[in-house]
Amino acid sequence: MFPNLLHPRAYVGVLALLALLAVPFALQSPFAYHLAVQVCVFGALATAWNIVGGYAGQLSLGHAVFYGIGSYTATLLVIHFGITPWLGMFAGAAVSAVAAAVIAYPTLRLRGPFFSLATIACLEVCRLLTVHEEDWTGGSAGLNLPLNIGLKWMVFREKWAYLLIAFGFLVATLWVAWRIRRSRFGFYLIAVREREDAARAVGVNAVQAKLAAAVVSAALTSMIGSFHAMYLTFIDPSAAFSLELSIQIAMFALIGGLGSVAGPLAGTVLVLPAAELARGWLSAFGNGTHGFVYGVVLVLVVLFFPRGLAGHLGARVLKLIDRLPGARERALPAAPQSAAAHSAPRGEPLLVAEHLMKRFGGLTATNDVSITLHAGEILGVIGPNGAGKTTVFNQLSGFIRPDEGVVKLRMPDGSWARPGTPNAFALAGVGRTFQIAQPFSGLSVLENIMLGAFMHTRDHGEAEAIAREVAHTTELSALLDVEARSLTVGGMKRLEVARALATRPRALLLDEVMAGLNPSDIVRSIDMVKRVRDTGVAVLMIEHMMQATLALSDRIVVINAGKMLKEGNPADVVNDPQVIEAYLGKGYRDAQAA
C-alpha cells in the first residue's frame, strides 16, 4: 500500500518534497512562505487534474468548476452554519463528485475538442448561477471569510501554518496519483487514453474508467479549493470559476509531463515561482507581464520537450537514482496457473457463431455464416480480399453486433454465455489481436502485457509475474523495458499476441498476425502459435499467408462474398475448385481444366 521508503526512488522523492518546506523555513520570509503555499496548492491541483487529463487523456478545460464548488461549499458552511472547513471540505468533495458524475457521463462520450468545449460550458454555467444567487453566494461581489483565528477554522496569523497544511494536501494528492498509476485502474486509464478499442479488447470498460477518473479528480480538486479559500479569506465567482485557472493547472501538467506522477509538480515548480517573481519585478512594465513567462516556457517546452520534462528526462533521472544504494529488485510472486488448463476438453465446441447476418446499408457483409471453434484446435479462416472475414472476426469478439444470429461461448462450468460488448467477450475468455497492430505506445512492453494480466488480478506484482511468463512464450523477454513504439513490426505483432494471452483466454482470435513480416519473423510466429495451442488455448486465425495457414490449421473455413464457401481439412479445401475460383477467378479454373 505504501512505497518502500528504503528504495532510492522513494527516499529521493521524499527529500525533494521536503525541500519545499526547507527553503521557506530557511528564508523566514513572508513572500517565501506565500510562494511555497502557492506551489503546493497549484502542484496539488495540477496533480489532481492529471488523473483525468493525463492518465485518462480527457482534456478538461473547465476543471476549475470543482475548485469553485469546493471553495464555495466550505465558505458557505462556515458563514451560514458555523461548520468547520475541516468538515466542509468533505461536503464540497461530495458535491463535486456528484457534479463530476453528472457532467462526465454524457460529455465523456464526446471526442476531440467537443469534450473540452463542453467542460468550459459547464464552468460558465456554474459561474453565472453563482453570480445570480446573490442572497446566498454574495453574487459578483463575492464573500469575505469570517476571521476566526485557529486550527478549527483553518485561519492562522503565521503563514508557516498554512504551508504545513498545503504541504499535507500536496503529499496526499501525490500519494493518490501514485497509487492510481501503479494500480489496475491507472493502467486501464492509460490504455483508454492510448487506444480505446485495444483497451476494450483486454476487458476495459472505457466509459466506467473515465467516469471514475473524473470523480476522483473532482473530489481532490474540490478539497484543495476549500483550503485555498480559507487561505485567501475571500472568494468571488470570477476567480473561483475561472477559465484561466483551468488552463493554468492544465499547462503545469503539460509542461511537467502528462500521465506521470511527478510531472505536474515539476511543471509547477518550474513555472510558478518564475511567474510570481516576474509579476513582482516586471509589474512596472505593465500588468500581466508575468503571463509572458508562462508563454515563453510553454513554447520552449513544446518545441524541445513535447512529452514534457518527465517524458524526456524522467528515464535518465530514474537511471541515476537506481544506481544509489538500496535499488535491488524485489522478488516477484509466482504467476498463477493459466486459465487455459480449465478449458473445455479437446474437441468440444468452445466458440460458436450461428447464422450471422450483418448489413451496412445496402451491402450484406455477412450472409448466414456459422462457425464453430473447438477446444484445442487451430481454425484457419481464409478468403479473398473483401470477402467479409474481418466483419465476421469483429462479430466473434463483440466489436460489431450482428443484425441476426448469435455468438456464444462455453464457460468453464459448461454453461453458454452470450456476451454483448468487447470487454464482456474479453472477460468471458475471448482474446483478440488487431489487423493493424495497436500497442499502447507510451508504455513499455512489460506494461503493455500487464494490461492484459490485470483482467484477473489487482496485484501489481502478480500482474508483472504473469507478463514475464507470457513474454517468454512470445519471445519478448529481452524487450520488456523497451517502449512499445520502438518495436519492429514483428515485435508489435508478437506484443499484440502477448497482451491477449495475458488475459488468460480460452479462445484466441488472431487477425493477420503474420501480415507484413519478413521470413524469419513468420517462422517465429508459426512456432509461437503452436506454443499457444499447446498450452490449451483454441486459436482462430485469419491469415493471407497460405503456407503458414496450411501448416498450422487443423481445419479451414473459406468465406467469399460474405458467405460460407467451404469448410474442411486444409488439403481438401485448397484443392476445391470453388475455392480456386474464388481466389484466382473462373478463367484460371477453366484454363487449368483445359
Side-chain angles (χ1 to χ4, degrees):
M1 185 174 182
F2 291 94
N4 178 14
L5 294 180
L6 298 179
H7 193 282
R9 295 189 183 186
Y11 64 70
V12 169
V14 170
L15 291 175
L17 280 175
L18 290 177
L20 288 176
L21 288 178
V23 171
F25 275 99
L27 295 176
Q28 288 294 311
S29 162
F31 178 75
Y33 281 124
H34 170 73
L35 189 57
V37 170
Q38 291 291 89
V39 168
C40 289
V41 168
F42 281 90
L45 287 172
T47 302
W49 180 90
N50 190 49
I51 294 172
V52 68
Y55 294 172
Q58 306 302 306
L59 187 60
S60 173
L61 294 183
H63 214 65
V65 66
F66 308 116
Y67 171 94
I69 289 174
S71 59
Y72 264 93
T73 300
T75 301
L76 290 172
L77 289 177
V78 169
I79 293 174
H80 296 290
F81 302 101
I83 297 176
T84 172
W86 293 104
L87 296 178
M89 71 171 61
F90 289 103
V95 175
S96 292
V98 173
V102 172
I103 294 171
Y105 187 76
T107 59
L108 282 174
R109 288 170 168 77
L110 301 173
R111 300 291 182 93
F114 301 106
F115 172 74
S116 300
L117 292 174
T119 59
I120 293 173
C122 293
L123 175 67
E124 184 64 12
V125 167
C126 289
R127 187 188 69 81
L128 292 175
L129 287 174
T130 307
V131 169
H132 287 294
E133 292 295 327
E134 188 172 350
D135 294 339
W136 180 251
T137 65
S140 57
L143 292 171
N144 285 302
L145 192 75
L147 296 180
N148 300 321
I149 306 298
L151 181 63
K152 177 181 178 180
W153 305 109
M154 212 183 289
V155 177
F156 309 95
R157 289 188 175 88
E158 303 84 3
K159 286 192 177 294
W160 62 262
Y162 286 111
L163 176 57
L164 292 179
I165 297 175
F167 183 77
F169 275 108
L170 174 62
V171 171
T173 307
L174 286 171
W175 181 80
V176 171
W178 176 83
R179 286 286 298 165
I180 289 175
R181 179 61 184 84
R182 285 182 55 83
S183 70
R184 176 171 71 172
F185 176 45
F187 274 75
Y188 281 3
L189 290 178
I190 294 173
V192 170
R193 179 193 73 193
E194 295 272 333
R195 296 183 185 273
E196 192 165 317
D197 282 345
R200 294 162 72 196
V202 293
V204 180
N205 186 322
V207 173
Q208 189 178 78
K210 290 187 285 188
L211 183 61
V215 169
V216 173
S217 178
L220 291 173
T221 302
S222 178
M223 296 179 74
I224 300 162
S226 298
F227 161 74
H228 204 214
M230 301 303 111
Y231 176 69
L232 298 175
T233 68
F234 173 78
I235 57 172
D236 68 278
S238 61
F241 298 98
S242 167
L243 177 60
E244 181 184 354
L245 174 62
S246 295
I247 295 174
Q248 192 175 18
I249 59 178
M251 187 185 68
F252 290 151
L254 175 65
I255 291 172
L258 292 176
S260 61
V261 176
L265 178 58
T268 306
V269 171
L270 173 67
V271 180
L272 187 63
E276 289 297 313
L277 290 171
R279 189 200 300 267
W281 293 342
L282 304 177
S283 58
F285 294 96
N287 292 327
T289 308
H290 66 286
F292 178 73
V293 176
Y294 286 123
V296 169
V297 174
L298 184 59
V299 168
L300 292 176
V301 168
V302 170
L303 288 176
F304 298 104
F305 304 98
R307 289 190 288 145
L309 298 177
H312 283 266
L313 305 178
R316 299 177 188 177
V317 173
L318 290 178
K319 284 182 180 179
L320 293 175
I321 293 175
D322 286 341
R323 295 177 183 175
L324 298 174
R328 291 180 299 176
E329 291 292 329
R330 58 183 173 80
L332 295 174
Q337 185 180 8
S338 172
H342 307 291
S343 185
R346 186 180 179 87
E348 286 196 1
L350 180 63
L351 180 63
V352 178
E354 298 175 341
H355 309 294
L356 298 182
M357 298 282 293
K358 185 62 185 178
R359 302 176 184 87
F360 298 102
L363 173 67
T364 301
T366 306
N367 189 356
D368 195 25
V369 173
S370 296
I371 294 178
T372 300
L373 175 65
H374 299 92
E377 78 167 343
I378 297 177
L379 175 63
V381 179
I382 64 174
N385 288 329
K389 304 184 300 296
T390 299
T391 303
V392 172
F393 192 91
N394 285 332
Q395 291 174 84
L396 293 176
S397 55
F399 280 82
I400 294 178
R401 188 182 296 273
D403 297 328
E404 298 177 23
V406 64
V407 179
K408 56 185 181 179
L409 179 72
R410 183 189 290 272
M411 303 304 290
D413 61 3
S415 62
W416 289 90
R418 297 184 179 183
T421 60
N423 54 295
F425 270 88
L427 292 169
V430 178
R432 69 158 290 174
T433 66
F434 293 86
Q435 184 175 349
I436 299 175
Q438 296 193 23
F440 303 113
S441 54
L443 300 178
S444 67
V445 170
L446 176 63
E447 290 173 322
N448 267 266
I449 305 174
M450 287 174 64
L451 266 165
F454 273 121
M455 182 187 293
H456 297 290
T457 180
R458 292 180 179 273
D459 184 76
H460 188 278
E462 186 177 325
E464 186 173 338
I466 294 171
R468 292 182 182 276
E469 181 186 41
V470 171
H472 177 72
T473 302
T474 52
E475 299 184 37
L476 289 170
S477 296
L479 302 171
L480 288 177
D481 294 327
V482 176
E483 277 196 344
R485 61 166 57 93
S486 303
L487 294 177
T488 63
V489 174
M492 288 187 182
K493 293 280 189 178
R494 295 200 306 278
L495 178 58
E496 286 249 309
V497 176
R499 191 177 64 210
L501 280 178
T503 66
R504 290 183 272 166
R506 291 175 295 119
L508 178 62
L509 312 184
L510 302 179
D511 191 356
E512 298 191 27
V513 74
M514 300 177 202
L517 303 187
N518 59 46
S520 62
D521 276 334
I522 290 175
V523 172
R524 297 173 75 177
S525 295
I526 291 174
D527 293 339
M528 176 183 65
V529 174
K530 289 179 179 178
R531 287 194 299 271
V532 170
R533 192 263 307 273
D534 292 342
T535 64
V537 178
V539 178
L540 183 149
M541 54 185 293
I542 293 177
E543 193 56 66
H544 283 297
M545 299 294 298
M546 193 60 68
Q547 290 181 332
T549 305
L550 295 176
L552 287 169
S553 301
D554 300 305
R555 288 187 302 124
I556 289 181
V557 170
V558 184
I559 296 177
N560 186 37
K563 298 180 180 180
M564 292 275 292
L565 182 63
K566 183 72 176 179
E567 179 179 0
N569 64 65
D572 292 341
V573 168
V574 297
N575 291 308
D576 186 271
Q578 289 183 306
V579 175
I580 294 173
E581 181 180 338
Y583 269 94
L584 300 176
K586 187 175 184 299
Y588 178 86
R589 193 188 70 173
D590 293 342
Q592 190 181 43

